[in-house]
């Protein structure tokens, strides 16, 4: 701490060694405090004592009665500020300090520690880190990170010309200037900006890295759930990293699975992060510039997506002086299929965080992701949904969002068919907020339906209304959810009306019943529900009708969607075998153990599906094993 | 009326009770008028009378000869302004008024009644309604609606902080401030802004709702046409609603059929509304912010479109303080298929206006639409095209657009094959402007061709050139129309060259000739003309060749387009029956009586088309019945 | 030249007649120079001479010893400025000049000839051409072109009101004003702006058109190559036209083939032009507003593209006062298929430049294109790639880009399989920069791969990194190229793994071997490589395996891609014949002699392909003829 106002009146602060302040020559009376100690230089010797300077503007008398030694002009001593009289006269007392630390003090109020509004128009200074340097047509804007907020500092060299070209991104700096308002935000009009080094830089670094503003809030989970406890540290680390990312001026790009759980994960985090940015950045545009949420088209992070994301990020760096973003993958990102995209990001030194509950390929992911949170890494499974994890993470970022999120884990759980032990408690929590189970199901279906029609637009406001997060009208929320969930149900009914009678059935050797549906020829195309969801709905009906182990295959010209209940499948393994067994079929795909999808060249469909069915007929029956939560849907 | 200048010189206005003005203390000589009555306070008593204040700045003598009572300093009386001499001396006459209304008067010129340029830099005040409240990084901008214009009022509390937080959208307010220029627009820099209530509020409301600016202009239709007369009141109501919408600060989003008639409807309205916004809003950016025209992808208003429109509207509300828009559906919007989208809008209390000439489902639409104008509701039909209706509506909004629109109804009529009685007159009108019938046909084809390639972009400038509305170069208009219409004709010829020999023919039992074409396998795909138009062109050739009753079916894997001449079909009824009769086919669709389209799952194509042909073979022949106007086109 | 400072100290300049300057009344001492001649008026007669005015502010003595004639007050004479003393006193010498030209001089420094920074805040004037006139909400901005830069001149009449409405685009003007900074750019705050006419206008026109800034730089080609020499004048004309276009305020829209050579052509030109705009325009936003690069979706310039380009250009004209752009077609644009788009542009008087190496249809193109550069027009061929040509053109625009482009022609040559004589030299040049042949191949594959995933987004920054042009981190360049080229190779391998065993083979009568592959049914769809590239890779393998003359056909439902080696095909001729021979097949297409593609209606595929194969069986075998460079790829 370099503030001269922060320490005790005397040297009794046991935790800290004595501090002697070394004032900048420009310091005025607003920078000093009675009882603090200062380095002083004798500027005149008189009969009754010596006059000393502690800055160009601050001189005063050390009366001979308060002098310990004898001094000539130019000699240095340490004095304690005794009093500042109303007429401006200052008196000092010489002190002797065996051991002390010198702290430099810039002129003016320390800007980081007071409310800007109080010191508008005044001189101020701050120490911090230059986390963004943007050259505008006019001044150069340095966004300077202090322990708990990021302050724009405008330095004008010449219009459009980089001021202080020696200052580089992430340098530790000392800024002196005047507090001014501009376009609604306070900023420091820079008089001087210098790079700190050595001890001074380390001190600032210490202040920033030890700031309370970084650490995740220590909130109690919404429900007690031993399985979830294993993940808390991981999530807390993610929350800390995200808060630190905001303060470090790095934008955050959220990419999430375009389904109910993906939205229950990403929307709360978006909300909490926006609030945190508002609290810490003076620039009112910062939430818009630093945060972007986008659903991914595929269930994994495709090269198409990453290519565009990267190009967008590179343009923002060039045009707005932004750092390249941190990528936060939610409800996807855990599989080997994500790694080509990650590798691309890695070449740009872009950090990646993954929070997911899909079956992971930890080795592939962990060489790229800074954090990889996944229940499977702790011997848990998909039943801890990403939405459940991210609601807690959002609360660690801003505990004040809690009241708006109590129903969200239940929505996520129902949307992803979680049978986690905590579901009952989550449902109860939601019920306390007035959401009964059918309401939660409707929200999930409405989110799914809206996502389909938004076609990978983020649909920010509309989605907030549907999930009732950051939404100001619960009544409207309910009406819109009712409308969309009814439409979704009607469209599913229409689809199954056409499709069900074209479903064929056969009995496999292992006793499972296999249903097939040609979703290209016997379902409506290019409308809701898409082939994957259509297959899932048919499967659900067949499971309900038969009560037997059931496998359902929905196939198109070059793909098939697989669902199973009560059969011990290992779809990723099957796909790997088919690649070998069926030559010239271009087989790819995967998914979870008992639910997945597969692609092939259309001319080899018959061969691939027959080989697949053969394998299925060999699988063990397992009455206890349910279908996995996540239905991959492809058109 | 709170203007002191608005009433008669004496109390003889029989319709209104006497008004006594209560001046704000800041009022000056520009706020008063000889003959008006004012509340006054005695500030000095002299031999020859009393000096009274009617504001801090306005004092004068009531000569004893003009005094009725006797008054001490501080006592109140009512005076009439007798004279303001050149030297500034003011004289009053005391009056006694048995019954009166007091009207407060703010200081300065009444801003709404004078040209801002004249009073730039001066104090002014206005009463009105806060129709938009936008928080900028600096001041809060209140857009205040007065009887005939909308004035930006900038109130600064603290940068980025909402000024006058008690003022809500649509409150009636009194604003006092200085007239300043900012970014090219005049605005009032607010000194004071207060919410009016009770009588004062009612008075403002009266002024706004009775303003001439709202009412549609009373223009004579371009042609005399009894059938059209039935619709005039409906269209006038729409024009009034649109003018009122502009003044009320609500954006307008035009969604229209992406064809010739749809453009002849929407482009003139866009033009007239842009002009009206320019005339009534000081903010030069208002036309861009308040109006957006977009073609719809489907012949009805799809869930995909409405989902995006809504999300866009919600974002504009949050980011720019805009109201949610009014939706104006043109040349579509009348059918049951539009209602899911409408229901979605209804939950956001968004007004909907529909002007259409497609066969309507009035019950479905009227529960959502504030106005539903459709000739079928008045026992007329598609022959009154939407373009014809909207040209008249545009003229009711701004009569000055008339000269640029005389040819447009004829373009609309030809594009939609209208055989309305007024077509001859419309053609004559166009001919007077130099457009012969082939020119009009070319414009229609060029619009259709451009729309195809613009792929649902609005193509604003280009379309204006093609239709020669809001276009400054007729020569270029002609050259571009020639080019595109030639290209369109050539592309149609190329398409039919390939397709015609694959057309199969059979005779139905009822004597009609049925032609079939596989537009997926025997026409070029993904180019102009699309399957619907291709089918229509084949049909037209066959009608011309044979002279017989003709039905044409253009089918793809999961759809069929239907055209007929001389056969009494009822396609909506047929579709309804097919839904029942052909199970598992997922039949949907509809259209007009004798032209339409149908969808099904591709695996059931044969069954559906055979069942359809059977029904067609039973239809009555009607030599008089022509093909309907509107060709549904789907790719 | 109207600058008083530009000529010699005496009259010895033999090339020019003597100039006598006529100063504006506002001219001060900064506008004159010792030794120049001025028109003067006598304002006082004294014993020792006469006092003369050469402007209101500049008066001085002509001593009687320096007087030739005798003058009264008000009489005029010509004087030469003798000296300006430190105390401001000015002395003149009368001169007699038999023949001279009068040049008017505005007050203040001539803005075009000095550094703005030096005269910030001072009065200045300039003569030039108004190349852009933009009405802002505040002032009207005239962008005034002087011989070597374009200067914004802000004239304020009234906010949002057009100042100097008599001034039209491209008028020659004289501007007087104060040099001010605004938003990072220097501009002239206009005091007066007048249109020049007659001689004065001609003089300015001469200055602008004879300016060195227009002419292409005379750079030596990177390699000596006689074939290339034939094209140099054409390319120099293109470079000159582009520099002139920048100075004339017309935006440039680059449309290029979406492949390796297209990027090697467009990226260097984009870079050189951006730099040239930065050098010549004061407005720092100019590079963004004046230049846009976009890959074309098809191998020719489609109506869809031109329709959107035009509409975009028309909107920019209306909203930003921009001229309509010049269109620069790179690595496509030479064929008859481009002409419908060109015709559309022609109606808007939009200039078109084409630099291409595809087999051209010169007659079709030259009626629209101002310049059409193509090696085939000089009896050369595709081996001179567009990238090679454009690297030289970029250097003619800005020679300083040379060092960053030395490797680019080699990339282009490899990407397009050029076997030009200069390839060895280009490879050597690249090797000197550290790029070995495999590196260059990898860059080409990486560009191809990135383009596929960018899906016609320009991907500016990412592409710059891949090509290492305007990229600041070679290490990252290498890593990203490695990643993408590896991915591309892996995806090709995967595709061929599936496809190769479905390739059928037959021997044609002429001895060529024909391979066929159904790329719809036996290759993965909607992924890299697309059908065209897939066919090309299969073809390459078959050529390598067999060493025989080889033809490969990759067909889908309604298209076929053709590749051949060692066979004298003439694909454009074949397509023309098939159009005639196979009725009802809707055949279209084309390409190069030995590589191309063809489209047809899917129902006639068999007939078309059989007829095509028959023709191929008749073609002559030519062992020397290799496959052409450019692989058309279509999905």
């Amino acid at each position: 701490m370099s503030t001269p106002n922060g320490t005790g009146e005397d040297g009794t602060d046991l935790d800290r060694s004595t501090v002697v302040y070394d004032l900048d020559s420009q310091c005025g009376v607003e920078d000093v405090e009675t009882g603090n100690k200062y380095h002083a230089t004798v500027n005149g010797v008189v009969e009754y004592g010596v006059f000393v300077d502690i800055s160009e503007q601050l001189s005063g008398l050390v009366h001979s009665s308060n002098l310990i030694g004898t001094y000539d002009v130019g000699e240095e001593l340490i004095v304690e500020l005794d009093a500042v009289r109303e007429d401006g006269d200052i008196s000092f007392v010489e002190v002797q300090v065996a051991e002390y630390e010198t702290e430099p003090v810039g002129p003016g109020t320390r800007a980081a520690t007071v409310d800007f509004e109080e010191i508008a128009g005044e001189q101020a200074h701050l120490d911090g880190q230059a986390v963004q340097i943007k050259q505008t047509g006019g001044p150069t804007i340095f966004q300077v990170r202090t322990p708990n907020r990021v302050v724009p500092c405008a330095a004008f060299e010449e219009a459009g010309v980089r001021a202080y070209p020696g200052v580089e991104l992430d340098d530790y700096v000392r800024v002196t200037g005047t507090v001014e308002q501009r376009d609604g935000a306070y900023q420091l009009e820079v008089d001087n900006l210098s790079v700190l080094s050595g001890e001074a830089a380390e001190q600032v670094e210490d202040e920033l890295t030890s700031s309370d503003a970084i650490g995740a809030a220590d909130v109690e989970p919404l429900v007690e759930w031993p399985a979830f406890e294993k993940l808390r540290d991981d999530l807390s680390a993610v929350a800390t990293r995200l808060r630190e990312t905001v303060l470090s001026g790095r934008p955050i790009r959220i990419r999430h699975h375009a389904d109910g759980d993906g939205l229950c994960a990403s929307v709360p985090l978006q909300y909490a992060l926006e609030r945190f940015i508002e609290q810490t950045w003076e620039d009112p545009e910062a939430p818009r510039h630093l945060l972007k949420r986008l659903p991914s088209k595929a269930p994994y992070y495709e090269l198409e997506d990453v290519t565009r994301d990267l190009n967008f990020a590179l343009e923002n760096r060039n045009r707005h002086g932004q750092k390249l973003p941190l990528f936060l993958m939610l409800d996807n990102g855990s599989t080997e299929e994500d790694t080509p995209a990650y590798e691309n990001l890695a070449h740009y030194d872009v950090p990646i965080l993954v929070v997911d509950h899909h079956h992971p390929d930890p080795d592939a992911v962990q060489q790229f992701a800074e954090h990889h949170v996944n229940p499977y890494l702790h011997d848990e499974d998909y039943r801890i949904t990403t939405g459940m994890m991210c609601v807690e993470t959002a609360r660690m970022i801003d505990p004040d969002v809690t009241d708006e999120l109590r129903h969200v884990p239940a929505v996520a759980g129902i949307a992803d068919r979680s049978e986690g032990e905590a579901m009952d408690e989550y449902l109860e929590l939601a019920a306390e907020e007035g959401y009964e189970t059918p309401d939660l199901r409707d929200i999930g279906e409405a989110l799914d339906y809206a996502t389909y029609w938004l076609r990978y637009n983020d649909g920010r406001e509309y989605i907030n209304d549907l999930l009732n997060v950051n939404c100001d009208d619960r009544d409207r929320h309910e009406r819109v959810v009712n409308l969309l969930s009814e439409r979704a149900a009607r469209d599913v009914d229409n689809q199954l009306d056409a499709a069900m009678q074209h479903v064929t059935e056969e009995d496999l050797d292992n006793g499972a019943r296999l249903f097939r549906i040609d979703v290209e020829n016997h379902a409506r195309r290019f409308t809701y529900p898409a082939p994957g969801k259509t297959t899932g709905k048919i499967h659900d009906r067949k499971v309900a009708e038969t009560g037997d182990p059931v496998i359902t295959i929905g196939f198109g010209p070059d793909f098939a969607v697989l669902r199973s209940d009560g059969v011990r499948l290992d779809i990723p393994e099957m796909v790997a075998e088919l690649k070998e067994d069926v030559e010239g079929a271009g087989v790819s795909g995967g998914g979870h153990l008992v639910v997945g999808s597969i692609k092939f060249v259309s001319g080899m469909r018959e061969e691939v599906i027959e080989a697949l069915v053969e394998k299925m007929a060999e699988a063990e029956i397992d009455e206890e094993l349910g279908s996995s939560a996540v239905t991959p849907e492809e058109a």
Side-chain angles (χ1 to χ4, degrees), chain A residues 64-80:
Chain A
S64 50
S65 63
N66 294 322
L67 268 176
I68 296 168
T70 319
Y71 299 97
D72 281 338
V73 169
E75 286 191 299
E76 297 189 334
L77 64 163
I78 295 174
V79 298
E80 188 174 296

Side-chain angles (χ1 to χ4, degrees), chain A residues 328-545:
Chain A
L328 174 59
M329 316 302 299
L330 299 178
D331 200 28
N332 60 24
S334 281
T335 68
E336 199 272 340
E337 284 173 296
D338 296 288
T339 52
Y342 290 166
E343 208 179 331
N344 218 326
L345 294 179
H347 289 306
Y348 286 87
D349 299 321
V350 162
I352 300 165
L353 314 184
V354 181
V355 182
D356 193 8
H357 72 142
H358 289 77
H359 203 279
D361 184 334
D363 296 339
V365 171
Q366 269 151 34
Q367 57 178 309
F368 298 107
E370 200 177 299
H371 293 285
H372 181 197
V373 188
N374 193 311
Y376 285 97
L377 303 177
H378 298 274
D379 296 319
E380 298 294 337
D381 63 19
Y382 72 88
R383 287 174 294 187
I384 302 182
T385 75
T386 314
M388 294 169 185
M389 292 189 277
C390 289
V391 162
E392 295 301 342
T393 313
R395 296 175 61 229
M396 292 169 180
I397 291 169
D398 181 359
D400 291 346
V401 299
T402 299
D403 284 348
E404 294 192 54
L405 303 182
R406 285 186 211 281
H407 61 298
V408 175
V411 175
I414 285 183
D416 260 15
R417 303 165 176 231
S418 167
E419 292 151 5
E421 306 85 8
M423 269 310 289
D424 285 347
E425 276 191 76
Y426 279 135
L427 293 176
E428 213 169 292
L429 257 185
E432 285 167 15
E433 305 287 319
Y435 301 89
E436 299 305 324
T437 301
D439 302 332
L440 301 168
R441 184 157 317 179
D442 285 351
I443 294 174
E445 293 291 323
L447 287 172
D448 202 54
Y449 197 61
T451 299
Y452 181 83
W453 294 112
L454 283 167
R455 302 215 188 275
Y456 310 109
N457 185 306
D458 72 343
R460 192 176 183 284
E461 304 298 327
Y462 198 58
I463 294 293
N464 284 353
D465 276 4
L466 288 176
L467 191 53
N468 198 21
V469 168
N470 194 11
C471 158
D472 57 0
D473 184 344
R474 176 145 180 183
D475 196 46
R476 190 180 61 231
H477 154 75
E478 284 173 11
R479 281 181 287 131
V480 183
V481 165
N482 284 345
L483 172 69
L484 292 202
S485 58
E486 274 169 25
R487 289 282 151 194
R490 200 201 51 174
D491 287 3
V492 166
D493 284 348
N494 280 342
Q495 184 72 295
L496 296 204
D497 278 357
M500 284 308 281
Q501 67 188 273
H502 302 288
V503 175
T504 63
E505 175 174 359
E506 65 206 277
D507 291 333
L508 298 182
D509 288 347
N510 59 358
R513 301 170 72 146
L514 172 69
F515 297 94
R516 304 198 204 190
I517 172 74
D518 178 340
V519 287
E520 182 83 359
N521 279 315
H522 293 123
R524 300 157 193 244
R525 299 188 304 164
F526 308 121
T527 191
Y528 186 90
K533 188 161 191 110
T534 299
T535 305
K537 292 286 182 181
I538 290 171
H539 178 78
D540 290 347
R541 286 212 187 168
K542 291 299 180 188
V543 169
E545 276 172 32

Side-chain angles (χ1 to χ4, degrees), chain A residues 546-579:
Chain A
T546 66
D548 292 338
V550 164
I551 297 172
T552 307
I553 301 179
F555 58 90
D558 59 358
F559 69 92
V561 180
L562 317 173
R563 296 287 308 271
S564 73
D565 268 73
V567 188
R568 281 191 188 276
L569 297 183
D570 184 341
I571 291 175
E573 175 66 19
M574 282 177 172
V575 171
E577 289 172 19
L578 288 175
K579 276 186 200 178

